[in-house]
């Protein structure tokens, strides 16, 4: 999907995922299956592209965003626009984690 949206993508297999995610500032309770590093931020799990793009545009004081687990309906997991799950900001002003985006709601950025 990232390539389809014209993002340049480099794939790297993690040899020690827990240590490598921790080194990137991802709280282990927010860890998931995929890690993306982009322009100084970390995105963990099935993060919707609109949240990734909002962070890259607005540049909040956070380490990154995470979607813990693999919620059904998230990007790559059925892509159901009505699926409800939270996207959690972590690091910086977000501390150990605060809700950044509520997928499947009328106003997902109003948390």
């Amino acid at each position: 999907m990232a390539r389809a949206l014209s993002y340049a993508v480099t794939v790297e297999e993690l040899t020690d995922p827990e240590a490598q995610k921790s080194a990137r500032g991802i709280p282990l309770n927010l860890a998931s299956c995929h890690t993306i590093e982009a322009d100084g931020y970390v995105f963990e799990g099935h993060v919707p592209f609109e949240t990734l793009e909002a962070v890259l545009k607005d540049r909040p004081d956070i380490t990154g965003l995470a979607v813990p687990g693999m919620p059904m309906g998230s990007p790559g997991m059925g892509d159901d626009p009505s699926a409800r799950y939270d996207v959690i900001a972590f690091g910086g002003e977000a501390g150990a984690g605060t809700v950044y985006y509520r997928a499947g709601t009328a106003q997902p950025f109003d948390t």
Side-chain angles (χ1 to χ4, degrees), residues 39 41 43 50-60 100:
D39 204 16
Y41 290 97
F43 302 93
E50 66 186 322
T51 61
L52 182 147
E53 290 170 339
V55 165
L56 296 178
K57 177 181 171 256
D58 298 339
R59 312 291 307 162
Y100 180 82

Side-chain angles (χ1 to χ4, degrees), residues 38-50:
D39 204 16
Y41 290 97
V42 178
F43 302 93
E44 178 69 4
H46 293 252
V47 174
F49 280 104
E50 66 186 322

Side-chain angles (χ1 to χ4, degrees), residues 3-100:
R3 287 185 179 111
L5 294 173
S6 299
Y7 287 100
V9 176
T10 302
V11 177
E12 173 186 327
E13 296 293 325
L14 299 179
T15 56
D16 185 352
E18 187 173 305
Q20 289 169 296
K21 289 173 188 282
S22 183
R24 288 171 170 85
I26 302 166
L28 293 181
N29 65 312
L30 299 179
S32 189
C33 49
H34 309 288
T35 305
I36 296 171
E37 292 179 287
D39 204 16
Y41 290 97
V42 178
F43 302 93
E44 178 69 4
H46 293 252
V47 174
F49 280 104
E50 66 186 322
T51 61
L52 182 147
E53 290 170 339
V55 165
L56 296 178
K57 177 181 171 256
D58 298 339
R59 312 291 307 162
D61 178 17
I62 62 172
T63 299
L65 300 177
V67 175
M70 297 171 65
M72 291 306 300
S74 63
M77 295 299 296
D79 297 324
D80 177 359
S82 66
R84 291 183 176 251
Y85 58 92
D86 291 337
V87 178
I88 309 298
F90 61 90
E93 291 178 353
T98 60
V99 175
Y100 180 82

